[in-house]
Amino acid sequence: EAGVTQFPSHSVIEKGQTVTLRCDPISGHDNLYWYRRVMGKEIKFLLHFVKESKQDESGMPNNRFLAERTGGTYSTLKVQPAELEDSGVYFCASSQDRVTTAIYEQYFGPGTRLTVT
Amino acid sequence: AQSVSQHNHHVILSEAASLELGCNYSYGGTVNLFWYVQYPGQHLQLLLKYFSGDPLVKGIKGFEAEFIKSKFSFNLRKPSVQWSDTAEYFCAVIISSNTGKLIFGQGTTLQVKP
């Protein structure tokens, strides 16, 4: 079974540019999460999809961040325009259905390291 | 706001030493508790989890953790560490009334000297 994949693994962009991060969850996983770790800080929740619907986007920093999950499969996270403080590692995770505690067992991708200069 | 606190940011041990990493959370309700590990160059992996039942849980690679509700703690232990345990360890909680959002501690980097 393939794990959670993320693309790109590393992105370096200039302040003001746009970047789109992609996450492919484990096949069949309805839940998809985005997290971010800014250097020196803890990993913080950004948002949660259930299939194609945003279930919780309370962690999104501001309206420069836009997440989508068209068709309930892969997800993209766009940052436009990027600012210096957006630098960090962006993790994606997925988990199975909501009926059982399987929702709580999240499988993480390798992360995308974003550097804004 | 709910939070998770890990007591040590950086721990250095020699092989065969015992390990205990502290973790406390701030939430008075029901929680689900996790320890994740990130080995160098690899992605976050689940080490162990506690949902209910026996408060002493065993995970992979000889790790265990004890949930002490009265202390709001979920400390990670291993009797004898190996060089291959060098990694960053994260304590995390899910509040049951939530959507499955993980709240992480700051992480503890463990360096095991051979």
Side-chain angles (χ1 to χ4, degrees):
Chain A
E1 174 182 89
V4 178
T5 58
Q6 293 185 244
F7 182 83
S9 58
H10 196 170
S11 179
V12 181
I13 61 173
E14 293 184 352
K15 176 182 172 181
Q17 290 185 321
T18 298
V19 64
T20 300
L21 313 180
R22 173 171 171 146
C23 168
D24 286 77
I26 293 172
S27 178
H29 280 193
D30 288 341
N31 299 287
L32 188 149
Y33 302 83
W34 283 99
Y35 295 88
R36 177 176 74 171
R37 190 182 195 192
V38 172
M39 187 178 291
K41 300 288 185 72
E42 69 271 27
I43 301 169
K44 283 194 171 180
F45 168 84
L46 295 178
L47 87 159
H48 169 210
F49 284 100
V50 176
K51 298 184 181 178
E52 66 275 9
S53 300
K54 291 177 186 174
Q55 185 69 22
D56 180 358
E57 51 184 330
S58 61
M60 294 287 264
N62 50 60
N63 59 11
R64 295 185 294 103
F65 289 75
L66 175 64
E68 294 179 324
R69 191 182 182 195
T70 307
T73 54
Y74 71 90
S75 174
T76 58
L77 180 64
K78 181 190 287 188
V79 185
Q80 179 182 29
E83 298 288 345
L84 297 178
E85 64 264 27
D86 300 333
S87 295
V89 180
Y90 290 76
F91 294 101
C92 176
S94 71
S95 68
Q96 287 185 322
D97 60 76
R98 307 186 68 189
V99 177
T100 68
T101 55
I103 184 179
Y104 298 143
E105 299 194 30
Q106 295 179 29
Y107 296 84
F108 280 78
T112 293
R113 182 173 297 276
L114 174 64
T115 303
V116 182
T117 62
Chain B
Q2 299 84 20
S3 65
V4 176
S5 176
Q6 292 183 237
H7 306 164
N8 312 96
H9 293 300
H10 197 121
V11 174
I12 301 174
L13 295 173
S14 298
E15 275 195 315
S18 64
L19 170 72
E20 180 159 4
L21 301 182
C23 173
N24 287 88
Y25 62 92
S26 61
Y27 182 69
T30 303
V31 293
N32 299 285
L33 297 153
F34 305 82
W35 277 95
Y36 280 86
V37 60
Q38 187 170 27
Y39 297 103
Q42 297 186 29
H43 55 256
L44 278 159
Q45 302 172 40
L46 182 63
L47 200 55
L48 48 78
K49 61 185 184 287
Y50 172 79
F51 291 158
S52 63
D54 188 344
L56 184 63
V57 293
K58 296 191 183 299
I60 60 173
K61 304 186 180 185
F63 286 90
E64 64 178 31
E66 185 176 12
F67 170 50
I68 302 179
K69 189 174 181 180
S70 61
K71 295 185 178 180
F72 300 91
S73 70
F74 190 56
N75 292 355
L76 180 71
R77 300 194 292 250
K78 186 171 184 179
S80 175
V81 295
Q82 301 173 318
W83 176 78
S84 58
D85 292 324
T86 295
E88 190 164 16
Y89 293 80
F90 298 90
C91 181
V93 304
I94 291 177
I95 298 165
S96 291
S97 59
N98 213 312
T99 64
K101 169 174 82 175
L102 281 162
I103 301 170
F104 283 91
Q106 307 93 316
T108 297
T109 301
L110 172 64
Q111 182 182 353
V112 180
K113 294 183 175 181

